[in-house]
Amino acid sequence: MAYWEIKNVAVRGVTGTVPNHPVKSAELPFFTKEEADTFDATVGIKNRYIASDNVCASDLCFDAAERLIAGLGWEKETIDILLFASVTGDYKTPPTSAILQDRLGLPSTTFVLDIPMGCCGCIYGINVAGNMLTAGTAKRAIVLVGDTAMRMGNPKDKSRGPLFGDSGTALALEYDTTAEDIIIDFNTMGAGYQALMTPHGGYRHPVTQESFVEEDFGNGIIRAPKDALINGMDVFSFAITKPPISVKKILEKKGLDKDKDIDFFLIHQANKLIVDRLVKKLKLPVEKVPYNLQKFGNLGGASILMLMVSEIAEELSSRPLTLLCSSFGLGLTWGTMVLKTKQMLVVPLNKM
């Protein structure tokens, strides 16, 4: 397994931003009232925030970054690293992180990088930034994670459309020799990549007229090759089998007791069926597993950071915590992270 122990890196703060446009399941055009009620009860997603066409993930992340940097009182000249974890960048080229460096007014010496790893984006971002900070050559990093995932799919696709919400989040990391190690385990199963993908639009299958031809697959699944797809059964099987193995390995390797040593388990909020199954399979104490699916839907890579902002802000702000984070998604990839935090700044959620 790909395993990291990142030393000398502390989390200083976190925040999140969502569009000021909440949409309940009953308001989605392809649901009847009865179908929406059933969806809310089984999948657990009752509300999601959807960005307007002129708002990108970078705009939501920009707002989050500005508020977090101001809250921390960091001079922008002291920020050495800016990462943007998203699958909905502004353009194919250039990297959106470079555009954000300019928008945020960061120095030209800032190292920038886009990380298009989907639902594992948060853990990938912390791993990359953490490994760059650990030697002390760079001192401060901002990790931005966000997507406008709703517009990636077909608005008629009942299998995908109700699941996602849009958001942007920001996390601040800093070199600190007194910080506890950040432990990360990563895994990849590229053979399963077709379970979560957008078939047309890249250079393997450029956009053609065929890309816009919709097909009705039955059961309310309507999409064209340009639209992102989810093979629900394959994703469900992957999510309830691979991530639990990683969680168990990291607990065993570090000698951690899930009942005594972990304050919260932050599990990627894919849907309630998956999270509930993981909780049951791993025999996790339910009082330590926060949910925010009902508020935001599946936020992709921003899911874990938004759990911090919306569900455990008071605890993060007032005392040290040991968090176990589990993400899984595009690739197919999955990762587990043990993160020990000191008291940190949690800037309240903003709606823009």
Side-chain angles (χ1 to χ4, degrees):
M1 80 181 165
Y3 182 80
W4 282 266
E5 294 190 1
I6 301 170
K7 301 181 181 299
N8 307 326
V9 178
V11 179
R12 296 301 190 214
V14 67
T15 192
T17 300
V18 294
N20 192 20
H21 182 211
V23 176
K24 297 189 181 303
S25 299
E27 298 172 318
L28 294 169
F30 42 67
F31 275 156
T32 66
K33 176 63 167 61
E34 292 73 20
E35 287 174 330
D37 290 344
T38 300
F39 179 85
D40 289 352
T42 56
V43 182
I45 299 172
K46 300 181 179 181
N47 187 66
R48 74 282 294 146
Y49 291 86
I50 300 177
S52 59
D53 290 342
N54 64 337
V55 173
C56 292
S58 63
D59 300 316
L60 300 171
C61 286
F62 171 81
D63 178 79
E66 284 277 72
R67 293 184 300 107
L68 181 58
I69 293 167
L72 290 167
W74 282 6
E75 295 293 332
K76 291 185 176 180
E77 292 75 17
T78 68
I79 296 172
D80 303 300
I81 300 165
L82 178 69
L83 305 185
F84 178 65
S86 177
V87 293
T88 53
D90 289 7
Y91 308 99
K92 281 189 175 181
T93 60
T96 304
S97 53
I99 298 171
L100 283 165
Q101 172 269 333
D102 177 62
R103 288 184 66 184
L104 289 166
L106 303 186
S108 62
T109 51
T110 304
F111 177 91
V112 301
L113 181 68
D114 282 19
I115 303 177
M117 293 307 299
C119 297
C120 287
C122 169
I123 298 182
Y124 267 93
I126 291 173
N127 190 36
V128 173
N131 274 290
M132 295 182 69
L133 291 170
T134 189
T137 305
K139 303 294 186 183
R140 288 176 169 172
I142 297 292
V143 177
L144 304 178
V145 190
D147 283 299
T148 47
M150 283 294 291
R151 68 184 60 163
M152 292 175 64
N154 191 308
K156 303 174 187 176
D157 186 355
K158 195 183 291 188
S159 69
R160 187 187 184 281
L163 298 176
F164 290 92
D166 299 334
S167 72
T169 57
L171 183 77
L173 301 175
E174 187 171 30
Y175 177 74
D176 181 350
T177 56
T178 69
E180 298 273 5
D181 292 356
I182 300 173
I183 312 301
I184 300 178
D185 164 52
F186 267 126
N187 300 269
T188 305
M189 187 179 69
Y193 78 93
Q194 292 183 343
L196 290 162
M197 69 177 301
T198 305
H200 287 197
Y203 294 102
R204 178 66 62 187
H205 294 287
V207 172
T208 64
Q209 289 184 341
E210 177 194 353
S211 304
F212 296 88
V213 177
E214 294 180 344
E215 182 175 353
D216 189 339
F217 294 88
N219 298 317
I221 302 174
I222 300 173
R223 61 173 180 261
K226 69 174 180 60
D227 300 320
L229 65 84
I230 296 176
N231 186 322
M233 292 305 296
D234 287 351
V235 172
F236 184 81
S237 175
F238 154 69
I240 66 170
T241 54
K242 299 297 186 181
I245 295 171
S246 175
V247 171
K248 290 177 181 177
K249 281 184 178 179
I250 210 166
L251 288 172
E252 292 171 3
K253 187 174 182 68
K254 299 306 296 182
L256 296 170
D257 185 298
K258 63 179 182 290
D259 296 299
K260 298 177 182 178
D261 298 325
I262 307 297
D263 292 297
F264 292 102
F265 295 86
L266 305 185
I267 300 174
H268 167 51
Q269 302 286 283
N271 64 55
K272 188 174 184 295
L273 296 169
I274 289 175
V275 179
D276 284 352
R277 183 67 68 91
L278 292 177
V279 170
K280 184 177 181 180
K281 196 164 189 174
L282 288 164
K283 299 180 181 178
L284 303 181
V286 293
E287 69 277 7
K288 293 185 177 183
V289 184
Y291 287 69
N292 62 11
L293 275 163
Q294 70 280 11
K295 300 175 183 178
F296 304 108
N298 183 340
L299 297 180
S303 182
I304 285 174
L305 295 185
M306 196 63 84
L307 280 170
M308 294 182 185
V309 175
S310 70
E311 306 307 310
I312 60 170
E314 183 177 347
E315 291 86 351
L316 285 168
S317 301
S318 60
R319 62 187 175 93
L321 295 177
T322 299
L323 309 174
L324 188 145
C325 308
S326 174
S327 290
F328 39 88
L330 292 181
L332 297 169
T333 56
W334 64 103
T336 305
M337 175 174 66
V338 176
L339 180 66
K340 296 186 178 182
T341 67
K342 301 176 182 178
Q343 288 178 254
M344 56 184 276
L345 174 70
V346 182
V347 179
L349 178 76
N350 187 40
K351 298 176 183 178
M352 61 168 280

